[in-house]
Amino acid sequence: MQRFRLTRHQSASNKTPRQINLSLVFNLVRTRQPVSRAELSRLSGLQRSTVSLIVEELISGGWIIEGEVGRLPRGRRPTFLQVNDKRAVLALDIHPAQTTLGIVDLGGRVISQSLVPLPDDSKLAMNAIIKAVRRMVDTHPERALDGIGICVPGRADLDQQKLIFAPNLHWPVLAVKQRIERATGLRVEMDNVANACALSEVWFGESDGMHDLVVVNVAEGIGTGIFANGQLLRGEAGMAGEFGHVQMEEGGPACACGNHGCWEVTASNRAALRYYEQQGGSRLAAFDTLLHLAQIGEEHAVAAIQTMARRLGRGLRMIASGLAPSEIVIVGDITTVWQLVSPVIEEEMRRNAFHSGPRLRPAFEGSLARLRSAVALVMNDRAL
């Protein structure tokens, strides 16, 4: 099968015009499907002959397929195009206590997902993941898997295959890459979850890839992925973006990194659970439960979520002032109550701002964004 490659040394800013047009047409098909060639020409501004050549290239590469034939009062009947939903990626979203697996097609649609609780013993955790991966592959023989994408809550040196910084993860997660490759025969790509989500924003066309953006992943901890000057910013040893471990409150709660008062211990999911108890609520095991209580208007839950939102906005003010991105994108379960938290986050982020600041928005299907980002990880080396 033909591949359209964007190497690790290329960036969105130095793509050739052909690659840019391929990406444009593919994303128009993805977002407008089913869509005709004539409509693609109108939407893209490209000549019909150019669109036809690109469409044939995408079809021959297996990226898109022809579907139904439309009806018009007169003239040639159009053939509608859609993304080839038989091609997919197996996604792993690894958390300290659980891993979510999913089959995600090239359009970003989550076909299937399952949750795998992870035991404390690292060997047992590894075996549980391998078993779940094999089961997921075996139960979807109808899908042509392009590879496996793994999102991890930590920073790794991808060249040295060494985990550099993962204070919330206490087992050798990088070893899972080789184990899964041997177990499935599929290519496996692994990266920090926030970096993967930043790539996803560009891959799926939610951002144009030409403007700087920062993705903030809010989960047990807080991580950020920075996309600047058309490429992912990794920094020395892959450590760029660790804003979650900037101290926000001197003498604050202890953080897994060894410091106190880090941003993530004041604004993460676990921080919200702590605020709920401090407000007089009972001890909750899961952030999802807190979100549900907030959605139905339970007083202590709403107060806890809003406290989390204020602390989140305070850290975003630091990012907005220091990096001045065009937009900041929030990933995580917190986006399911975006109407409740966004005014609080915005107010705090823009407090005493020197300029209008970045656009703030949730990721599309923010609670599933980490699974969708696996497509970007796997397809980036063979991207349009």
Side-chain angles (χ1 to χ4, degrees), residues 21 24 28 38-48 50-51:
N21 289 339
L24 173 62
L28 284 174
E39 185 71 358
L40 288 174
S41 178
R42 185 186 68 80
L43 292 169
S44 67
L46 299 173
Q47 294 183 355
R48 288 197 179 193
T50 301
V51 167

Side-chain angles (χ1 to χ4, degrees), residues 241-273:
E242 280 302 324
F243 289 99
H245 295 283
V246 173
Q247 188 180 55
M248 302 294 286
E249 294 182 4
E250 187 175 356
C255 181
C257 72
N259 292 324
H260 288 76
C262 294
W263 185 28
E264 76 170 37
V265 297
T266 69
S268 64
N269 295 356
R270 289 189 290 193
L273 294 174

Side-chain angles (χ1 to χ4, degrees), residues 34-37 65-82:
V35 62
S36 68
R37 290 168 173 80
I65 58 174
E66 292 183 316
E68 297 179 355
V69 177
R71 295 183 179 276
L72 292 176
R74 59 181 179 274
R76 184 177 179 180
R77 298 171 65 186
T79 301
F80 290 110
L81 305 164
Q82 62 192 57

Side-chain angles (χ1 to χ4, degrees), residues 218 287 291 305 308 312 330-338 341:
V218 184
F287 185 63
L291 290 176
I305 291 295
M308 173 191 180
L312 190 58
I330 305 298
V331 170
D333 294 336
I334 188 68
T335 60
T336 61
V337 291
W338 192 248
V341 300

Side-chain angles (χ1 to χ4, degrees), residues 222-233:
I222 292 180
T224 58
I226 306 168
F227 193 87
N229 299 322
Q231 59 188 333
L232 200 61
L233 181 62

Side-chain angles (χ1 to χ4, degrees), residues 270-309:
R270 289 189 290 193
L273 294 174
R274 188 176 70 250
Y275 297 142
Y276 183 67
E277 287 188 57
Q278 292 171 353
Q279 293 284 344
S282 59
R283 179 181 291 272
L284 299 178
F287 185 63
D288 285 348
T289 305
L290 180 61
L291 290 176
H292 173 70
L293 292 173
Q295 286 173 319
I296 64 176
E298 201 274 329
E299 179 182 2
H300 297 317
V302 171
I305 291 295
Q306 289 184 333
T307 300
M308 173 191 180

Side-chain angles (χ1 to χ4, degrees), residues 75-361:
R76 184 177 179 180
R77 298 171 65 186
T79 301
F80 290 110
L81 305 164
Q82 62 192 57
V83 172
N84 182 1
D85 62 4
K86 297 301 181 183
R87 290 180 68 178
V89 163
L90 177 57
L92 276 76
D93 177 25
I94 295 179
H95 291 254
Q98 65 187 36
T99 290
T100 304
L101 278 74
I103 298 289
V104 189
D105 69 21
L106 297 192
R109 184 167 59 102
V110 178
I111 307 300
S112 175
Q113 64 176 310
S114 64
L115 187 65
V116 182
L118 298 181
D120 292 333
D121 183 273
S122 61
K123 184 177 180 180
L124 294 177
M126 189 84 71
N127 290 338
I129 291 174
I130 299 299
K131 183 178 179 180
V133 166
R134 283 175 169 156
R135 184 167 58 247
M136 183 71 78
V137 171
D138 290 343
T139 54
H140 291 278
E142 78 284 1
R143 303 286 170 182
L145 295 178
D146 280 274
I148 298 174
I150 304 177
C151 298
V152 295
R155 302 284 171 172
D157 186 323
L158 299 180
D159 294 327
Q160 298 295 323
Q161 288 296 300
K162 182 170 65 174
L163 197 63
I164 301 297
F165 184 70
N168 296 313
L169 205 59
H170 304 293
W171 55 283
V173 66
L174 286 189
V176 80
K177 180 179 187 294
Q178 289 77 21
R179 290 281 303 276
I180 291 177
E181 285 177 335
R182 288 198 299 267
T184 64
L186 294 169
R187 183 171 64 93
V188 177
E189 294 293 337
M190 176 183 286
D191 206 339
N192 170 265
V193 58
N195 286 345
C197 288
L199 285 176
S200 178
E201 287 296 315
V202 179
W203 170 261
F204 286 111
E206 312 299 342
S207 296
D208 60 12
M210 301 300 165
H211 294 85
D212 297 347
L213 68 93
V214 174
V215 169
V216 179
N217 176 58
V218 184
E220 296 87 1
I222 292 180
T224 58
I226 306 168
F227 193 87
N229 299 322
Q231 59 188 333
L232 200 61
L233 181 62
R234 295 191 178 275
E236 184 70 20
M239 287 294 291
E242 280 302 324
F243 289 99
H245 295 283
V246 173
Q247 188 180 55
M248 302 294 286
E249 294 182 4
E250 187 175 356
C255 181
C257 72
N259 292 324
H260 288 76
C262 294
W263 185 28
E264 76 170 37
V265 297
T266 69
S268 64
N269 295 356
R270 289 189 290 193
L273 294 174
R274 188 176 70 250
Y275 297 142
Y276 183 67
E277 287 188 57
Q278 292 171 353
Q279 293 284 344
S282 59
R283 179 181 291 272
L284 299 178
F287 185 63
D288 285 348
T289 305
L290 180 61
L291 290 176
H292 173 70
L293 292 173
Q295 286 173 319
I296 64 176
E298 201 274 329
E299 179 182 2
H300 297 317
V302 171
I305 291 295
Q306 289 184 333
T307 300
M308 173 191 180
R310 280 194 294 275
R311 305 297 174 84
L312 190 58
R314 192 171 301 170
L316 295 182
R317 187 195 317 157
M318 167 182 61
I319 292 174
S321 299
L323 299 179
S326 294
E327 59 181 354
I328 296 177
V329 183
I330 305 298
V331 170
D333 294 336
I334 188 68
T335 60
T336 61
V337 291
W338 192 248
Q339 289 185 332
L340 174 64
V341 300
S342 60
V344 180
I345 296 174
E346 286 263 7
E347 180 183 10
E348 192 66 36
M349 184 182 77
R350 302 191 191 285
R351 189 185 301 275
N352 301 322
F354 297 115
H355 56 90
S356 60
R359 175 193 177 201
L360 176 70
R361 65 173 175 85

